[in-house]
Amino acid sequence: VRNAPNGDSLVIDVARNTLLRFSPDGSLVRRYAPPNESFRPAGVACIGKEIWITDAVGHCVAAFDADSGKFVRSIGGRGPGPAEFGAPLGMAATPDRLVCVVDTFNDRVQVLDATGKWVRDVGRPGNQVGCLGRPKDVAVGPDGVIFVTDASSQRVHAFDPTGRALLAFGEPESGVGSLSMPAGICISEVCPLPDVMLPDGFKAAYYIAVAEQLSNPGIRVYAWRDRKTSGLVSGDAARPSKSADNPHWSADKCSACHQQDRGRSIPIVPAKTDAICLACHDGKKAREEAHPIGRSATAAG
């Protein structure tokens, strides 16, 4: 579901392979009919005076006139190149009027302009922060931060507006807010949960809601800090919770544990590992969570 600028709701009807538009009172306003029989809608976004819908089977993006519902044009086709797709899924518009399209089989998010022209890739294949295996959906905060759910790494990866990796969160078995099969994602400027306890001094700029499909299926809600601070805390509908900042999946916090030599992290000798870990994992400063051993926290900008 996505909202149109006038408050209408855009709902994909999977059974009929079409998009339905409802007014705030629930009345059906318009249907956006598929351009062909093989059309399989997956994601939707409002782009200017058009409605864009990803076609997961046709490996393209279909653009419709927002007012009439008429099919206007098709963007892209199957392939690994710029503005080409492999099973495109979720979409989201950015504050600077660009469009993020999840390119699932190419392990990336493509950023296009309003004409459909390629601007940049966000993410790449791999097994570290900012690397994707099976991206599912994308959301963009009001500050331009791009959040991508990835079913392979079982996390949400966050990128700055230029595509630079910031951090990843939702690591499996990491306690409250952990993920196993994240799918849909959206941004809310109002916390959707009641009585949430945030750490002292933590000011949330907005909230990130992530659909979890496998482990305790439901919605996980994370608070994203404003630009004056950094980090994130998480909770869910069952267990709102306080949480310490986690440096393990933040590309700019390696120095929390590792000494640095000209921008590179120095490996920790085994004899000092326990002491370094216990400096934070003492039951007060951080909850128990796995360290991503063997995964580099640096990512290409």
Side-chain angles (χ1 to χ4, degrees), residues 2-262:
R2 287 289 189 266
N3 290 330
N6 68 344
D8 288 353
S9 297
L10 304 173
V11 182
I12 291 176
D13 185 346
V14 177
R16 296 176 178 84
N17 294 327
T18 189
L19 178 74
L20 304 177
R21 182 169 183 165
F22 295 93
S23 65
D25 65 5
S27 300
L28 179 63
V29 176
R30 187 167 294 104
R31 296 175 186 268
Y32 297 85
N36 53 67
E37 293 183 358
S38 64
F39 185 76
R40 293 294 183 274
V44 60
C46 292
I47 311 301
K49 296 182 179 181
E50 295 181 337
I51 301 293
W52 286 17
I53 307 174
T54 53
D55 182 357
V57 173
H59 308 288
C60 63
V61 176
F64 296 79
D65 181 81
D67 293 330
S68 68
K70 181 180 178 180
F71 173 72
V72 176
R73 59 199 168 105
S74 181
I75 301 169
R78 187 165 194 170
E84 295 179 337
F85 304 98
L89 296 179
M91 277 195 300
T94 72
D96 53 356
R97 300 181 181 180
L98 298 176
V99 190
C100 295
V101 184
V102 172
D103 190 2
T104 304
F105 291 165
N106 290 319
D107 305 323
R108 63 185 177 180
V109 169
Q110 293 197 63
V111 181
L112 311 179
D113 68 14
T115 69
K117 181 180 179 181
W118 178 87
V119 176
R120 69 177 67 93
D121 286 345
V122 173
R124 57 190 175 86
N127 189 22
Q128 61 187 44
V129 173
C131 293
L132 307 172
R134 282 292 180 268
K136 305 284 284 187
D137 202 2
V138 60
V140 183
D143 53 0
V145 176
I146 301 167
F147 301 92
V148 184
T149 54
D150 186 56
S152 178
S153 63
Q154 301 173 284
R155 295 167 176 83
V156 178
H157 295 260
F159 304 84
D160 75 6
T162 68
R164 183 178 70 92
L166 297 175
L167 56 84
F169 58 88
E171 181 177 353
E173 307 300 330
S174 61
V176 174
S178 64
L179 300 167
S180 294
M181 190 64 68
I185 186 170
C186 68
I187 303 295
S188 174
E189 295 189 12
V190 178
C191 184
L193 298 176
D195 304 322
V196 171
M197 298 170 60
L198 297 178
D200 293 339
F202 186 104
K203 182 180 179 181
Y206 51 86
Y207 300 86
I208 309 155
V210 180
E212 165 58 39
Q213 297 177 295
L214 186 61
S215 177
N216 296 319
I219 305 297
R220 308 286 193 266
V221 179
Y222 306 83
W224 187 260
R225 290 189 181 189
D226 59 23
R227 289 182 179 273
K228 296 179 182 179
T229 56
S230 63
L232 154 151
V233 296
S234 62
D236 55 33
R239 294 178 60 195
S241 172
K242 291 185 177 181
S243 172
D245 287 343
N246 176 11
H248 298 323
W249 281 99
S250 179
D252 60 356
K253 292 186 179 180
C254 296
S255 60
C257 299
H258 294 266
Q259 292 184 350
Q260 302 294 304
D261 179 17
R262 289 172 290 184

